[in-house]
Each structure stands twice: as structure tokens, then as C-alpha cells.
Amino acid sequence: MKKLGFGFMRLPVMDGDWKKIDIEMVKKMVDIYMERGFTYFDTAYVYHEGLSENALKQTVVDRYPRESFAIADKLPIFSMNSADDYQRYFDEELSRCGVEYFDYILLHAIGKDLYSKPFIAKDGFEFIAKIKAEGKAKNVGFSFHDSAELLDTILTEHPEVDFVQLQINYVDWEDDNVQSRLCYEVATKHNIPVIVMEPVKGGDLANVTAEADKLFKEYHPDMSTASWAVRYAASFENVFMVLSGMSNLEQLLDNTSYMEEFAPLNDTERGIISKVEDIVRNSIAIPCTACKYCVEGCPQNIPIPDYFALYNKQSQFGLTQAYRDRYAELISSAGKASDCISCGQCEQHCPQHLSVAELLRDVAEKFE
């Protein structure tokens, strides 16, 4: 397979509504993606508030022969309470996607807290081994957001997995919280292939500062800023797939243009990225990737990623009236940043391990 995967996590929507997926636009994007020789689609039970899997059915499964593409789906272990939940969720995912098997199935977002539960550490892995034996999953693995030490423990205890999905990008490569490099090295030590998520860090690495972008453009005037991030992740030898949550046709055309005949980074390009890394790291006030895992279940209905995105923009470009107006628009139908009651449920689900409650206080201080 070509190394670029189509992530159904940030699909184009209408009227800015996360639940109004633009199915006709997604069909157009899928057609171009397939025409250019790409075949890997990634979804999950919770993406687009539960609508991503059916969108994949409508745009891919119902329109192409099953053998012409691969689907990766994820079991929402953070929503489960016992081993009995696995079969129910899995059957629902098959139904939502309209398929009889998955090419890749993942235990979704394993971390320390979830792995401490026996019905995940033991029963979850037993379940995916069972569905693989039944032919309902061709490859089994998990996505991971925690320390390299924990990853080493999991892969030691479960050498039967076929792959692991890790967050890898040039800003997080040496990050103490994400530990991209250390986790990649652990997977490689265990001979476990890697799928990369968040190569563009939720879009942050597609919109770097002018100083950083100038370094890229001086070397590759016609290459997009995002292409550097995707090629960086795809250049690692043990990476077999890089996911991109493409939100519009322009992003898809760009990504497929340079990944159709993928060329790994050369030494000069790696040197440029090393310089850009320092610039970008200092420009991102809140390293949120807008995965929205924090939003579901928020008792105050606070659109946390939207507030963090606004905070980052004002940090980079100043607190303009346009950003104040956008905040006012958001709070007209949702909880304010200051409404946070510090219940902690969002922080339990945050893959970036952010101190969400504390950061929301910063947002409130700036915008309220």
C-alpha cells in the first residue's frame, strides 16, 4: 500500500456543524484518493460524534468492491465497563460500516489508566485475538497515548499484536509528554510495525510561523508546509502508514500529489526541519490537536478545542476583535471557559496529557 491513509476524523462539514458531514464532497475526495492508488481508510466509533463510520459506508463501502480498499476501525475501550461490551460495540461497528470484516482493528487510545483495568489489559487483547481467528479482523493492534515504558510493558505482554498506532511528528519527536521517539524505538525493538497519527499535529504544522515557513519555501518553493510534516513521519523505516485527517479537497490533492511517489527526507531536509522544530515549539501556546475526545461528556458543554485554537491564534497574532467576536459567538450556544468545574473527565481522555482545567482558566482570563 501507498503510505498515506485517509483519516475519517476531520471530514468536511456544512455550516460548521461537526454532525453535518458533506457526504458529496467526501465522495469526490474518496474518488480522487482511490484513482491515485491509495486504499487505506481510518475511522473510529466516536469520530464525528458517531457519524464517521456511516460516512465511510456511504462514500467507500457502498461504492467500491470490498477487496479494493482497507478499513481500520477502533473499539472505544474508554466507553466500556466490562468484557461483555466488546462484542456489542464490534458488531455495531461492522453494521455502521456495512462490512463483514475489518482489515485493521484497534483498541482505541490505550494509556496507563485504561491498561490498569483487567477487562482491557486481558480481555481486550483476548477479544481482538478472537475476532482475528474468526476472520473478522485481518490485523489487530492498538493506538497508544502514554509513556514508552508502558508501551514496552504492553508489547512484552502482548507480542501477538500486528501493529501499533503512535503519534509522531517533528514537534513531538522529543516531547517529554508524547515521547514520540522513545515510543517509536520501543515498537521497533519489538519488531512491531507503526501507523502514524497526528503527523501534522491537528493542523498546527500546516500553519507555522512566517519565519519557519520561509525556511521550507526557500528549499522547496512549490511544496506545502504540511507536506514536510507528513513526509517526516513517513520517512521512518518502521512506519508503514501515515494518517491524515483531510478536511477539504485542497488538502487531499496536496497530500496525494507528493505521496503518490513518496520520497523520504534527505539530510538537508532533516536539517531544515530541525530548525523549524525549535521555532514552532515556541509558537504553540497550547499543544491541542483538536481530537475532541475531551468534549464528549463535558457536563458544562464547553467546546474545549475551539477555545484552545482561539487562544493559540491570539498568542501568535494578537487579541484582535475578530477573535473576541468568535469567542462571543461560541459562548452563545455553549459553556464559557470559566464555566469549567474542574471535574477532570476531559483530562482523563486527553491524548496530549494537557492540564485542561488550568488552561481553560487562561482562556477565560484572556477572553472574558
Side-chain angles (χ1 to χ4, degrees), residues 288-329:
C288 168
T289 66
C291 68
K292 295 184 181 288
Y293 295 171
C294 59
V295 175
E296 185 177 358
C298 174
Q300 301 299 92
N301 188 32
I302 301 173
I304 298 165
D306 294 322
Y307 292 166
F308 286 175
L310 274 179
Y311 190 89
N312 282 340
K313 286 179 180 178
Q314 67 81 29
S315 294
Q316 286 182 293
F317 307 113
L319 185 55
T320 66
Q321 188 59 45
Y323 296 149
R324 291 184 183 276
D325 291 345
R326 176 56 179 157
Y327 185 76
E329 179 184 349

Side-chain angles (χ1 to χ4, degrees), residues 10 17 25 72 75 91-92 112 130 146-147 152 163 178 190 192 240 257 265 303 306 309 321 323 325 342 362:
R10 301 182 179 97
D17 189 335
M25 176 54 69
L75 289 160
D91 290 342
E92 187 177 356
K112 181 180 179 181
K130 177 181 81 77
D146 214 301
S147 70
D152 193 32
F163 65 93
V178 182
H190 286 270
I192 301 296
F240 77 91
S257 69
L265 295 176
D306 294 322
Q321 188 59 45
Y323 296 149
D325 291 345
S342 300
D362 294 339

